[in-house]
Amino acid sequence: MLSHFQSFPSKFNMGASVRWSWLAALLCLLCMGVEVECDCSLDNVRNQGGGFMLSKGLKTGSMLVFNCSEGYYPYPKFTHICYSKGWDPPLKTNQRCKLVECPDPTVMQNGNVDPFEDKYYVTNTTTYTCYSGYTLRGSSTRTCLPNGKWSGSTPICSRDSGNTCADPGIPPGASRMGNIFEIDDKVKYTCSGDLILVGQNERVCQENGQWTGKEPACYYKYTFDTALEISEEFGNAIKDILTTWQSANTQEGRIIRMSKNGTVNIYIGVDISESIDQTYVQRAREAIVTLMKKNSSFTVSPNYEIVFFSSEIYEVVNILDFFGEKPSLSSLVEKVESFEIGDKNTGTNLYAVFKRFEERMAIIQERTKEKFKEHRHIIILFTDGAYNMGGSPEPTVARIKSRVYSNHDEQTKEEYLDIYIFAIGVEISDADLQPLALGTGGKHYFRLKHDTNLNETFDDIIDERDVVGLCGLHKGYDTTADKISKRKRYPWVVFVIVQGEDPKRCLGSLVSSKFVLTAAHCFQFGDTPDQVTVEIEDRPGNIVKKVKTFILHPDYNITAKKDQGVDEFYDYDVALIQLQDDVDISAVARPICIPCTQETSDALQLVGVSTCAQQEQVLLNKQRERLSFLTKTAPLVQEKDVFAKLGDNVRNTCINKALKAEGIKVTDPTIPVTKNFLCTGGLTEHRDHVACTGDSGGAVFKTFEYRTIQVGVVSWGTQSLCTAGGLVESNEDSRDFHINLFRVVPFLKSILGDDDQDDYVPIKFLKD
Ligand SMILES: *[C@@H]1O[C@H](CO)[C@@H](O)[C@H](O)[C@H]1NC(C)=O
Ligand SMILES: *[C@@H]1O[C@H](CO)[C@@H](O)[C@H](O)[C@H]1NC(C)=O
Ligand SMILES: *[C@@H]1O[C@H](CO)[C@@H](O)[C@H](O)[C@H]1NC(C)=O
Ligand SMILES: *[C@@H]1O[C@H](CO)[C@@H](O)[C@H](O)[C@H]1NC(C)=O
Ligand SMILES: *[C@@H]1O[C@H](CO)[C@@H](O)[C@H](O)[C@H]1NC(C)=O
Ligand SMILES: *[C@@H]1O[C@H](CO)[C@@H](O)[C@H](O)[C@H]1NC(C)=O
């Protein structure tokens, strides 16, 4: 493996052939300096239109890798290895970057392909029409994409012949044997020329009129699967396994569902042998961590076996540990992230990896006895498959299969074992790897490109609108600051506009598909629901939501302490807005978690019967508790960092500043700032942000890995430092006060938890 791309000084990686004559000379000197023989030379190394990299300089064993920009691939070779006698195979003089081609689409039967060409290159578009009497299924136009695939799906021209199964068509580049489509009839595919068949080469017509498996595809050596494709195939399958709330739906091809007591064992192997570039390993590592951290959104808690391997196995996480006291998520992440890859990783022993998985499985079976039947096993492998030690892993895979399958009947057994192969590296041994992929319901073999962002792919796994029961779920990354990414990060944020004599703009938070929580002071006496609008872009372009009604906290009374010297009194400054129609729940519009609900206990992973007090203990327990709230700025919002002062002393110091606010003429700060408020701001220890005009009504929240929980509502502050909004820092005296939601639970529960109405689905609140 090319584990040394990154330790090689970057200027040496540039690969622009012109510079290499003096670099080569320098390299040789360096080599000789440490008495390493200089085996290969850069004379004649060129890749017209592209570049190249070396894994270990010019030493024996180094790999020369050609690279090209998107839409091109290195030809005639991808790589050469440096042996003592020089480059192997010998360098070609015509090495260059060639335009990506897509497999031949003219294999379609009973129709026309326009234009009809010998070869089809990236960006070429084709259209498909059927002869008369035939109808078209699939795409009528397809474009050749930079990854070597056609967009859309295979066009098929067929006529109703009364066969049990429909004509399965012929994917581009393939030829098909078998033209009868009755029960038990088989069709068999082969790919022409150097194309590799990915998927199963045979499909059988079943009684239900469906073909078994999925359509195979013909790949060139440079064809790869995009992050989106992986997300759709692998993502959906694994989501199905790890989330049981889907158990009611029966999706195509999926028969069994995990019962709550079922167990999922995930075995992951990452190839770190020399032929794998470090970036792939790093990508795989990030993806694993992302997957593990997602567990707050899973309804089953998987057990993990994680190994890195070359000629040896480095077991980073032992699955047997999960059968005692479960290791903490952070310790698992730490182990995966901190594993150091040494530099003696010659050889790939894929056999040993499966052997290790098999041994672990055997011990689990012995320990769990009867319950082993309810275990589902998922093996995920990142490798180029060039195994050169230990022999073929196929017999071991066969034993694993029979161990798992023997517990189940014919119809369901395949649901209990999946082997996913993520083929990584420059030279992939497809022929060795493909037979190892296994499982029902879609593709299990993926070819990855160097820069495929597996991270986001794995992050996308739990995202769809069908994940309704999960308040506060959001995307972990915030890499691009466009509006959509921001919405995915803060899917619950809404803007509230009250048109009245004195129009007001506030923030609010979606707390269910029908309700928005905001501040009571956003409304004035006499405001009516038709003057109120709520903005949340749950579907593109669909922003403004109509309001059915709004309800202020019954104890909110701004003039209640006027005669005590408090001009404006903001206790109980909360309100709920009921929308006329449900917001469409998705990755960009999803409720935040609020205190004392069952969903929040689940998000906090409190087990058994939990209480409000337990939640408060987790959320608000430090002397200074780190919280956030939002401010509206283009393209959507920005996050403000604050610390709530909760310890007696720090809280007293904090609320004392209220005495300096305009309109407050009392000496006891607890008169304007009751125990119902959280206090933030100031600059000792941490320079907090302050609330600005327009931030009112917004959520004060705490973020966990993938869940957000609202603990307060932005209410008022001692100073008006920023009437134009934005991210503004606190000064010595400015403080903000937010309603602590734990103090207004009866109000929230009376409306959101009301099960005596048919207007909306009530939220399940805790008993106490
Ligand atoms: C080839 O890789 C090198 C090193 O990563 C990079 O600097 C160069 O831009 C790449 N060339 C092309 C054409 O992608
Ligand atoms: C297909 O793409 C190639 C390369 O860009 C181009 O030369 C050719 O004209 C295209 N053919 C058609 C029919 O568009
Ligand atoms: C697991 O759950 C199913 C149904 O929910 C039940 O029939 C089965 O007995 C349970 N198994 C164990 C070992 O608890
Ligand atoms: C991948 O995910 C990790 C967290 O799991 C994050 O720290 C890292 O920045 C992400 N990398 C990319 C390239 O998105
Ligand atoms: C997440 O993983 C940790 C560590 O394995 C485990 O203790 C916890 O129960 C898991 N949570 C869920 C919701 O599965
Ligand atoms: C608000 O408080 C004042 C002073 O206690 C009282 O006179 C007034 O009736 C209250 N208003 C409402 C709507 O309760």
Side-chain angles (χ1 to χ4, degrees), residues 259-262 371 374:
S259 56
K260 278 270 187 205
N261 52 15
K371 287 208 172 130
E374 288 163 24

Side-chain angles (χ1 to χ4, degrees), residues 13 50 53 67-69:
N13 278 341
M53 298 174 282
N67 64 340
C68 296
S69 37

